[in-house]
Amino acid sequence: MSQEIEIGLGKKGRLAYSLDDVSIVPSRRTRDPQDVSTAWQVDAYEFDVPVVGAPMDSVTSPATAIAMGRLGALGVLDLEGLWTRYDDPTPLLEEISELPAETATKRIQEIYAEPIKAELITRRLHEIRDAGVTVAGALSPQRTQQFYSTVVDAGVDLFVIRGTVVSAEHVSQDHEPLNLKQFIYDLDVPVIVGGAANYTAALHLMRTGAAGVLVGFGGGAVSATRNTIGVEAPMATAIADVAEARRDYMDESGGRYVQLIADGGMGDSGSFVKALALGADAVMLGAPLARATEAPGRGKHWGAEARHQTLPRGYRTDVGTVAPLEQILFGPSHTADGTTNFIGALRRAMASTGYVDIKSFQRCGVVVAPYSGRR
């Protein structure tokens, strides 16, 4: 049962937990790390590791999407980012990485004021497809109606609709909102949609026919939604709630399984592993992959929240550069700070709890253990 706390006489709030508040508990059975499987699948597309590169310009370029694909992960290109606004965004990526902190947001807004070009969407997706990896692109709900036909015609394999909060019941007085259920029904490709942060919102998104649901708001390291609009969803509780919605939806739909992808606030390998233990099938990583030597952000990290023209809800931050992409995913690690060897950490946790695959690992025991501040 959920626990409510009285905030004041007129308001109660539900107690919720972040990933830092929980820990995985070893079980009576253990295994060798090499004997576990880290594979996952969404629709007909299979991946060796449960890692999705976030659609953020500091993380995923066509080149890094290809690199992720070749390493067994999935890179998602932001189809509203610099790669679809400029023929060659490289000088602008370099400029953003070197901007002083006090002027970065204003200049980012100016750079992203350049219109999105349909022909560049097609060119970038073709580039990824020609490399022979799974092609995934993301649009916000506001841009989906404008550009989805371009995306589908370009040959995308997985279509991602990603926003701070995405609902199946958006209401507007001045325009016809996206009918998500009809849109997914008419589309010929699997759709991943989110974010959703509670049981009810996730259940409604599952009922639209989505192949996957993003859990959370994304942009953990670069998000200021709590500071600007007062919105935040502690991820441990959000993932567990949405996992329960999936169980109920499976009963309701006669067994249809919707993939859960945890999105945001997983800057180290421990948080990544705990997200999977709590019910996620895969994790969308931003900051960890922005630390790669190949990352287009050059050690800086920002998301779509930073470029909003009237109310930016994020900022550019310095995450540094720690290692090549392959080492971040597969190691070896040379520090104990959780910035490299994410898959090695997952294998070790699965082995320590005795589970052989991600779906069974979701049943592992956890405890509430508030973060002590010790690393």
Side-chain angles (χ1 to χ4, degrees):
M1 295 180 64
S2 62
Q3 182 179 351
E4 283 193 339
I5 295 177
E6 185 178 280
I7 297 168
L9 293 177
K11 181 71 73 172
K12 294 180 180 178
R14 183 182 174 208
L15 186 62
Y17 299 99
S18 71
L19 291 169
D20 280 339
D21 292 325
V22 300
S23 297
I24 297 168
V25 181
S27 67
R28 63 180 178 84
R29 177 179 295 156
T30 57
R31 300 181 184 274
D32 292 332
Q34 64 268 24
D35 292 340
V36 306
S37 170
T38 61
W40 76 292
Q41 180 174 343
V42 54
D43 202 82
Y45 300 96
E46 299 179 2
F47 304 95
D48 294 334
V49 295
V51 172
V52 181
M56 305 167 82
D57 280 338
S58 54
V59 175
T60 307
S61 64
T64 57
I66 292 167
M68 290 178 212
R70 289 173 174 168
L71 290 170
L74 173 67
V76 182
L77 189 67
D78 180 4
L79 301 179
E80 300 174 40
L82 296 180
W83 292 95
T84 60
R85 297 173 191 261
Y86 296 92
D87 285 324
D88 181 14
T90 306
L92 294 167
L93 288 163
E94 184 174 351
E95 179 187 352
I96 291 173
S97 71
E98 296 175 352
L99 288 170
E102 60 271 16
T103 61
T105 298
K106 185 175 186 297
R107 179 59 181 144
I108 286 172
Q109 289 174 312
E110 294 170 351
I111 290 171
Y112 281 90
E114 179 72 15
I116 300 165
K117 300 171 179 64
E119 63 271 20
L120 288 179
I121 292 178
T122 300
R123 186 193 306 175
R124 305 311 183 195
L125 293 177
H126 281 177
E127 183 179 345
I128 299 170
R129 176 164 295 285
D130 289 346
V133 301
T134 303
V135 184
L139 290 172
S140 65
Q142 296 83 357
R143 296 283 193 175
T144 295
Q145 288 178 308
Q146 183 179 359
F147 290 112
Y148 81 89
S149 59
T150 300
V151 175
V152 174
D153 291 344
V156 73
D157 295 316
L158 293 168
F159 190 94
V160 179
I161 302 175
R162 183 177 187 253
T164 301
V165 179
V166 177
S167 75
E169 299 181 15
H170 183 73
V171 177
S172 175
Q173 293 183 349
D174 58 8
H175 68 274
E176 184 65 29
L178 175 68
N179 184 327
L180 196 55
K181 186 171 185 177
Q182 188 63 44
F183 174 80
I184 292 174
Y185 179 81
D186 291 339
L187 214 58
D188 290 332
V189 299
V191 175
I192 297 171
V193 62
N198 61 55
Y199 174 96
T200 303
L203 186 60
H204 281 282
L205 288 180
M206 292 171 192
R207 287 170 175 165
T208 67
V213 170
L214 297 171
V215 184
F217 298 151
V222 295
S223 176
T225 56
R226 182 169 181 168
N227 294 340
T228 55
I229 63 174
V231 173
E232 185 178 29
M235 281 296 290
T237 297
I239 295 168
D241 282 353
V242 176
E244 181 66 16
R246 174 177 57 196
R247 281 189 285 269
D248 289 348
Y249 178 69
M250 285 182 67
D251 291 340
E252 174 186 303
S253 63
R256 185 172 182 271
Y257 188 90
V258 178
Q259 303 293 321
L260 303 189
I261 304 165
D263 181 13
M266 280 149 286
D268 56 45
S269 57
S271 297
F272 164 74
V273 172
K274 287 187 280 187
L276 296 165
L278 286 161
D281 298 287
V283 175
M284 182 169 275
L285 294 179
L289 304 185
R291 300 187 188 112
T293 54
E294 306 96 322
R298 296 170 171 80
K300 299 295 195 296
H301 184 38
W302 66 94
E305 301 87 357
R307 68 186 184 224
H308 196 280
Q309 294 299 309
T310 59
L311 184 64
R313 299 179 298 280
Y315 46 83
R316 190 213 60 185
T317 189
D318 187 353
V319 295
T321 299
V322 299
L325 178 63
E326 184 171 5
Q327 188 175 338
I328 288 173
L329 291 180
F330 299 105
S333 293
H334 301 298
T335 63
D337 59 3
T339 60
T340 53
N341 202 0
F342 274 57
I343 304 307
L346 174 60
R347 286 184 174 277
R348 180 68 59 177
M350 293 172 68
S352 297
T353 52
Y355 295 99
V356 296
D357 55 32
I358 291 172
K359 280 189 172 60
S360 61
F361 183 54
Q362 294 168 350
R363 301 196 300 267
C364 76
V366 298
V367 295
V368 176
Y371 177 53
S372 65
R374 177 176 55 85
R375 287 293 185 189

